[in-house]
Amino acid sequence: MAIFSEQDKNTKPEGAEATSPRRARLKTAQALVVLVAALLAWHEWGNQAQGMDSSILTATFNLHLPAPPVEIKTSKSAGPTISVGGSLSAESKLLVDSAKEMDSFYAALWNLEQSPKSGVVTVLHYGDSPTTADLITGDVRATLQDRFGDAGRGYTLIAKPWPWYGHRGVEVGGHGWRIKTGVGLMREGVYGLGGASFEGEAGASSTYRLTESQQSSADFEYLSKPNGGSFTVSADGVEVQSVQTAADETKVASTRIELPAGTKAVELHVSSGTVQLFGVDFHRGPGLIYDSLGLNGATTSVLARTQPPVLWKDELAHAHPQLIIVNYGSNESSFGSFVHKLYADELRLAIERIRKLAPGVPILIMSPMDRGERRGLDEIKTMPTIPEIVEIQRKVAAETHCAFFDTYDAMGGDGTIARWYAANPRLVTADLLHPTPQGAATVAGFFVDELSLGYDRWKMRHGIGFSAAAIVAQKLGRFSCAHARHGRALKEHPQPAKREHKARRNQ
Amino acid sequence: MLVSTAPFFVYLATVCLLFWATQSRARLRLLVLVAANLFFLAKFSPVYLALPIAASFDFLIGQAIRSTDDKLVRRLLLTASIVLNLSLLATIKIFPVLTAAGYMKSLSWLLPLSLSFYCFQSLTYTIDIYRGDLEPTTDWLSYMSVAIFFPVVTAGPIPRTGKLLKQLAARVNLTEAAAGRALLLIGIGLVKKLLIADYLANNLVNRVFDTPTLYSSVEILAGVYGYALQLFFDFSGYTDIAIGAGLLLGFELPENFKRPYLSVNVAEFWRRWHISFSEWLRDYLFDVLPKRRKWQVLSYSYAFLITMMLGGLWHGLSWNFLIWGALHGAALGVVFAWTQWKVKRKGRNAPVSWWGQLLSGIITFNYVCFAWVFFRATSVGNALEILRGIGDLTTATGNLTLPLLGVLLLAAILHSLPPKWFDLPALWVSRTPFWLQGLALAGLVLLIQTLAGRGSAPFVYGNF
């Protein structure tokens, strides 16, 4: 902006006192000295987060070569294929499972791999805002379904509770709903498997456009209750079923609707009365389902205190998960005092409830991503509560015999967020909390790598799928056994694969 | 050393104190300025200490052009200067492309500073001498004082070297009025950059452009408008600080912005936006391109298109910038054709209705914002994603918080304030006693730290 008029540039402003250049220089020099002194004093005796640190005085005049950027950790798979390059002989530091909590999940995967047309393995991934956009979970789903089969898009909320809610492969739209979640509340409510409720009268509607794979059925989850209304479901504009939600008692109900082949859009219309719906679960056949159940602003308290136990138990029984992932902590990190004093108990409470309502289902606690805050004039630092939360989660996981995945450490630990923000392309958004699509793919890659390693360890412990020579070679730490099973990985790591091939020939 | 960070101001204060202390000793004063320029470059990377070698070539070429009347020799000398500067410019522009493609990746950190503003300024020197518009200086120290003048070397404004040399020779003394203006400009620049531009970048623009699929059409549109304002406040904030720093050292740097989003057509927009750059393009590129009187509209449109596409590529070697340049080039051609047609039909001074002006202003602003989408997006795919998101016509506004809307409104109002309104505050600052000036600036810094609290992001134009 031109902030001075042209005339005033070369003429003395009206009323300005005539001063000697020497006096003007002296006055400005004194003003600059006062400025610097005031900022130094404020930093020293006022607020150490503000003002100017005296070290800046010397740092200004230090010369140095620009530092080469710190290498950003990337996933070994870094894409839609699984490759396992880690060591199978040692226990993972990132996916800790000393209680062998994940064994039943791995066994279910193994069964699925052996009889690909025989069943469905379901994973429920509960989380906060990084989960609600289905970025990390969408990438994990894509990778795991690529390997174990695509059983469908899974659980989708009835409408978007917030604009950035998303579910990959399903474009959700809706209007006329009163939406409730347990976020921010400390009491039980009436919510579905996904932690949200959608109440609407005649005229309320939702549309689900299926943008990727074909889905064969849709399970609508709702609350059946006395005086419940009805809704209709259409596929590509043709009504396929009308559902009455009226019932003698109040309980969670689910109606499966078979979708005609080639359905591109499913529509839901409330036709009469008031209905309360929770979600729609899209299926397409045997394989793996990975449900992304993220609520914006959610904390562990959503699971510990707000999910209604009776309804949730039925919902969990209907979903029949083989693994439940509990992935919170980003929102808790804003409340240091809560983290110090109450967080561990809150997490224990959530785990206890899940154990009670879904007995026998393995639980994996997944730590939050690194989260940053800006300090001083141009610094981005990891929030000090993040490593604290991660340690609490690790400790509670060990106590409660849950598995634990350290997302924070996988990303690179302290200072990661600054590196990810400076990366090109950027891996976290400017709020220093949410991943960009590239960052989400990276985190998903870390997680899938560790899951695959855990799975291969389980197989090795059970003597499955590995030749004796391969196991010996693995124990020598020379290559990953998984390469023997996945042709894709052979291309990525030709040398170890060759060695294994040679070992097999010699066998 | 970003010009909105504490180290820059410690540095500027130190340079000013030394410069003023040597005011009466001309050679020493020049030495202080040259040393300040070199140290500033070395802060980014000692590699830049090689820049005076390139600058010395232009210094010598300038003298050689003046010393001969042989047209061919003069032309050859000018060509050598152009080749030297364009080679430097090309290296700086191609290097990031190569490292991004995986070549010399380990050296990607070595050249953190774009020197394109230096190259443009250097060319003004040799070309002006060749055209006979400027007498070359024979003093190497004077030339080095202005050719790599530290307040402008990272992101402009692009001064004409000849004008700076004249100001240096005139040894303008600092007056209280000039010092008041300088301090006010620096304060305003900090507010523009840290309170408005960085706030909009961190809370709206970067989020929308990073993950457009998570936002509704209304929010994406707000993100695009937000980017228009962010870019203006970011760049004009830098310019204000640079002009303020220049004033303290006795230089009057050119203005770069005059309320650009109030323009009624794209041609006017370029007379108000990044003025030193558009004038450079006009004087050293557009005027040189061949044009035919017979096919005036066609040949001018072609020249506009070429000029703006090259101007686009100057920002970076990517399709995005090429499309951005082409959009502006095409619009300039349309405006030129329309103006010619209107002059023929209604005469040069035909009145324009207020609603016509308003409509033109709205269309121009939205067209400029449309072009900004390509300028800001990380790829053409990202730009199309943004445009597709706007086309979806979804209306959720959950991400547009009250403080965000407040800052957008404040930014729009501040952008539109008449320049005259700042004259009185400048007078007040100049009359204020030194201790109050210092404390007021310190208070402003603390206020910014309290309100923004997010630190300074790099200046957008520092990348170009």
Side-chain angles (χ1 to χ4, degrees):
Chain A
M1 193 185 331
I3 67 161
F4 296 100
S5 52
E6 199 61 36
Q7 303 92 297
D8 289 337
K9 280 182 185 171
N10 303 317
T11 57
K12 191 173 62 181
E14 198 182 328
E17 290 167 25
T19 54
S20 71
R22 188 186 169 84
R23 192 181 144 188
R25 289 197 297 268
L26 185 66
K27 179 182 170 183
T28 313
Q30 287 170 319
L32 292 176
V33 169
V34 169
L35 165 68
V36 172
L39 291 175
L40 287 172
W42 183 259
H43 181 84
E44 191 62 32
W45 295 296
N47 182 347
Q48 292 212 329
Q50 293 183 335
M52 192 168 75
D53 191 334
S54 57
S55 65
I56 289 176
L57 294 178
T58 48
T60 302
F61 299 99
N62 286 342
L63 283 181
H64 52 79
L65 271 173
V70 177
E71 195 73 22
I72 290 173
K73 284 178 76 175
T74 52
S75 151
K76 295 176 193 76
S77 58
T81 59
I82 294 176
S83 72
V84 182
S87 165
L88 291 180
S89 53
E91 191 68 31
S92 171
K93 285 179 183 169
L94 298 176
L95 181 53
V96 181
D97 186 18
S98 41
K100 305 292 180 278
E101 170 81 354
M102 302 279 283
D103 279 10
S104 65
F105 172 64
Y106 294 143
L109 289 181
W110 170 247
N111 288 335
L112 193 60
E113 222 172 18
Q114 293 309 295
S115 317
K117 293 182 180 173
S118 67
V120 173
V121 170
T122 302
V123 179
L124 303 183
H125 187 130
Y126 281 100
D128 41 29
S129 56
T131 307
T132 201
D134 199 24
L135 291 175
I136 297 170
T137 44
D139 286 323
V140 173
R141 181 187 307 119
T143 315
L144 293 180
Q145 288 187 337
D146 192 38
R147 180 172 181 182
F148 296 104
D150 178 359
R153 296 293 86 193
Y155 195 90
T156 307
L157 294 180
I158 291 296
K160 287 188 174 204
W162 30 84
W164 51 96
Y165 172 78
H167 194 93
R168 201 169 297 176
V170 183
E171 280 182 13
V172 184
H175 66 88
W177 301 105
R178 286 187 298 281
I179 303 172
K180 288 179 188 163
T181 72
V183 175
L185 304 176
M186 296 299 274
R187 59 177 183 277
E188 286 168 10
V190 179
Y191 310 114
L193 184 72
S197 155
F198 301 79
E199 201 171 30
E201 281 85 33
S205 68
S206 283
T207 307
Y208 312 94
R209 293 206 311 116
L210 306 172
T211 56
E212 288 179 4
S213 54
Q214 156 100 42
Q215 306 297 304
S216 58
S217 66
D219 289 7
F220 283 84
E221 186 196 33
Y222 55 91
L223 191 73
S224 65
K225 57 183 179 182
N227 303 320
S230 62
F231 64 90
T232 61
V233 176
S234 310
D236 290 336
V238 179
E239 187 177 316
V240 286
Q241 196 162 330
S242 177
V243 179
Q244 291 290 335
T245 67
D248 293 337
E249 56 174 330
T250 300
K251 62 175 184 179
V252 170
S254 176
T255 297
R256 170 162 294 196
I257 291 167
E258 300 299 331
L259 300 173
T263 299
K264 297 277 181 213
V266 177
E267 287 162 27
L268 180 160
H269 293 272
V270 179
S271 45
S272 67
T274 302
V275 299
Q276 191 167 358
L277 288 118
F278 300 127
V280 52
D281 202 357
F282 287 101
H283 287 254
R284 59 171 293 174
L288 187 132
I289 293 262
Y290 197 99
D291 286 332
S292 167
L293 306 173
L295 293 179
N296 191 51
T299 62
T300 315
S301 302
V302 164
L303 299 188
R305 297 178 190 277
T306 68
Q307 284 290 99
V310 178
L311 299 185
W312 197 19
K313 185 176 183 179
D314 292 346
E315 289 156 1
L316 288 170
H318 182 254
H320 190 55
Q322 277 70 40
L323 176 65
I324 296 175
I325 297 172
V326 177
N327 179 198
Y328 298 96
S330 298
N331 293 305
E332 283 91 334
S333 63
S334 302
F335 305 98
S337 173
F338 170 80
V339 172
H340 306 321
K341 295 172 187 166
L342 302 170
Y343 179 63
D345 286 341
E346 201 71 2
L347 184 56
R348 282 190 198 99
L349 190 62
I351 301 300
E352 195 181 304
R353 286 189 104 200
I354 297 172
R355 288 264 190 246
K356 196 171 159 189
L357 301 176
V361 180
I363 301 171
L364 182 149
I365 298 174
M366 186 172 179
S367 90
M369 290 173 56
D370 189 16
R371 182 180 179 182
E373 60 185 2
R374 292 170 200 267
R375 289 206 212 134
L377 280 165
D378 50 5
E379 267 189 310
I380 294 175
K381 293 270 190 188
T382 289
M383 285 176 76
T385 43
I386 288 290
E388 196 176 343
I389 286 171
V390 173
E391 275 321 297
I392 292 171
Q393 290 180 340
R394 185 191 295 277
K395 192 176 143 206
V396 172
E399 275 173 23
T400 54
H401 306 297
C402 293
F404 172 69
F405 178 69
D406 192 340
T407 318
Y408 169 72
D409 205 24
M411 290 170 71
D414 186 49
T416 296
I417 210 74
R419 296 191 288 275
W420 280 36
Y421 186 66
N424 186 15
R426 195 174 285 158
L427 299 177
V428 286
T429 59
D431 59 14
L432 308 178
L433 164 63
H434 298 99
T436 62
Q438 293 86 352
T442 308
V443 173
F446 294 141
F447 184 52
V448 171
D449 280 350
E450 288 299 321
L451 268 186
S452 302
L453 265 174
Y455 179 44
D456 286 342
R457 280 194 197 96
W458 175 84
K459 287 200 285 190
M460 196 166 75
R461 274 194 279 119
H462 290 77
I464 300 169
F466 294 91
S467 66
I471 291 171
V472 169
Q474 173 56 39
K475 282 184 176 171
L476 292 171
R478 294 176 65 185
F479 64 89
S480 160
C481 301
H483 293 150
R485 295 189 57 78
H486 306 295
R488 285 171 303 210
L490 293 177
K491 289 178 190 165
E492 294 175 26
H493 304 277
Q495 281 198 328
K498 269 185 196 167
R499 278 201 292 269
E500 186 195 32
H501 183 63
K502 202 174 170 184
R504 279 187 162 180
R505 273 200 321 190
N506 293 340
Q507 196 179 19
Chain B
M1 189 151 58
L2 293 177
V3 307
S4 56
T5 57
F8 176 80
F9 291 104
V10 170
Y11 186 66
L12 177 64
T14 311
V15 173
C16 285
L17 293 177
L18 288 171
F19 189 73
W20 296 333
T22 54
Q23 184 74 17
S24 56
R25 305 174 74 175
R27 300 303 292 171
L28 201 54
R29 198 177 63 132
L30 290 179
L31 270 176
V32 167
L33 212 46
V34 173
N37 291 342
L38 292 177
F39 188 86
F40 184 77
L41 287 172
K43 274 296 278 185
F44 288 93
S45 169
V47 172
Y48 294 115
L49 288 176
L51 197 60
I53 299 171
S56 298
F57 271 113
D58 281 326
F59 169 72
L60 293 172
I61 285 171
Q63 287 191 329
I65 291 173
R66 179 69 182 84
S67 65
T68 176
D69 290 329
D70 188 324
K71 274 189 177 176
L72 183 65
V73 175
R74 285 166 61 87
R75 190 165 286 185
L76 280 174
L77 287 166
L78 178 66
T79 306
S81 169
I82 291 172
V83 167
L84 172 75
N85 284 291
L86 292 188
S87 304
L88 191 58
L89 190 63
T91 307
I92 292 158
K93 294 295 173 191
I94 291 171
F95 191 64
V97 178
L98 287 177
T99 54
Y103 303 100
M104 298 184 284
K105 210 171 174 181
S106 58
L107 298 177
S108 62
W109 50 275
L110 203 57
L111 295 173
L113 181 64
S114 168
L115 293 175
S116 48
F117 289 90
Y118 159 79
C119 295
F120 274 34
Q121 190 193 324
S122 275
L123 283 173
T124 67
Y125 182 68
T126 46
I127 295 174
D128 284 356
I129 292 171
Y130 176 80
R131 287 174 173 174
D133 296 338
L134 178 67
E135 279 294 312
T137 178
T138 51
D139 181 15
W140 185 83
L141 271 184
S142 294
Y143 184 74
M144 285 298 152
S145 300
V146 299
I148 47 175
F149 187 45
F150 74 92
V152 298
V153 78
T154 53
I158 306 164
R160 304 294 162 99
T161 305
K163 285 188 178 172
L164 289 189
L165 281 168
K166 274 182 197 165
Q167 291 180 27
L168 188 70
R171 293 179 64 183
V172 179
N173 273 314
L174 185 72
T175 61
E176 275 196 31
R181 274 179 59 203
L183 295 180
L184 183 68
L185 271 168
I186 288 171
I188 289 175
L190 286 174
V191 170
K192 281 181 174 179
K193 166 66 181 157
L194 298 174
L195 273 190
I196 300 176
D198 285 0
Y199 183 88
L200 289 175
N202 289 322
N203 293 287
L204 177 66
V205 177
N206 291 349
R207 294 182 191 198
V208 166
F209 277 85
D210 283 345
T211 48
T213 51
L214 302 185
Y215 295 90
S216 71
S217 304
V218 173
E219 290 164 347
I220 295 176
L221 200 59
V224 173
Y225 290 149
Y227 180 61
L229 291 167
Q230 180 216 330
L231 191 60
F232 169 76
F233 281 97
D234 185 283
F235 196 13
S236 72
Y238 171 89
T239 305
D240 288 346
I241 295 170
I243 292 175
L247 273 173
L248 291 176
L249 296 168
F251 292 95
E252 189 87 49
L253 297 171
E255 290 290 358
N256 240 0
F257 298 95
K258 288 180 180 169
R259 298 190 287 172
Y261 296 133
L262 298 184
S263 308
V264 294
N265 59 52
V266 174
E268 188 187 346
F269 173 78
W270 280 103
R271 288 194 293 273
R272 291 163 167 251
W273 174 269
H274 202 176
I275 301 165
S276 62
F277 174 65
S278 53
E279 287 182 351
W280 192 99
L281 286 178
R282 182 196 63 197
D283 295 347
Y284 299 101
L285 182 58
F286 179 80
D287 285 353
V288 182
L289 290 172
K291 297 167 207 79
R292 293 189 176 191
R293 210 171 173 77
K294 196 178 173 187
W295 304 97
Q296 199 184 28
V297 170
L298 206 61
S299 65
Y300 269 71
S301 299
Y302 163 80
F304 282 129
L305 199 63
I306 295 293
T307 303
M308 293 312 293
M309 281 166 76
L310 288 174
L313 287 177
W314 167 74
H315 292 86
L317 300 179
S318 78
W319 287 107
N320 283 41
F321 291 124
L322 193 68
I323 292 171
W324 173 79
L327 285 170
H328 275 280
L332 286 170
V334 169
V335 170
F336 181 75
W338 168 260
T339 313
Q340 294 295 102
W341 177 82
K342 228 175 90 179
V343 167
K344 265 187 197 164
R345 216 181 125 109
K346 297 183 177 176
R348 193 164 289 276
N349 298 317
V352 183
S353 61
W354 67 267
W355 60 265
Q357 289 224 342
L358 182 69
L359 190 67
S360 305
I362 291 170
I363 291 171
T364 302
F365 175 65
N366 281 284
Y367 185 80
V368 167
C369 288
F370 168 67
W372 282 145
V373 171
F374 290 91
F375 192 85
R376 168 60 179 82
T378 49
S379 62
V380 176
N382 183 224
L384 295 179
E385 222 172 14
I386 292 284
L387 297 175
R388 212 176 295 128
I390 295 171
D392 284 346
L393 302 178
T394 48
T395 55
T397 54
N399 286 303
L400 300 178
T401 59
L402 212 56
L404 193 55
L405 292 173
V407 172
L408 277 173
L409 186 67
L410 178 74
I413 292 170
L414 281 178
H415 162 270
S416 308
L417 289 181
K420 268 268 179 200
W421 287 22
F422 292 90
D423 293 342
L424 200 58
L427 184 63
W428 289 340
V429 174
S430 66
R431 285 175 168 181
T432 306
F434 75 88
W435 58 270
L436 196 54
Q437 284 180 338
L439 287 180
L441 267 178
L444 182 71
V445 170
L446 294 175
L447 182 72
I448 289 170
Q449 287 180 341
T450 306
L451 293 179
R454 290 172 164 273
S456 183
F459 284 97
V460 177
Y461 262 74
N463 301 324
F464 304 140

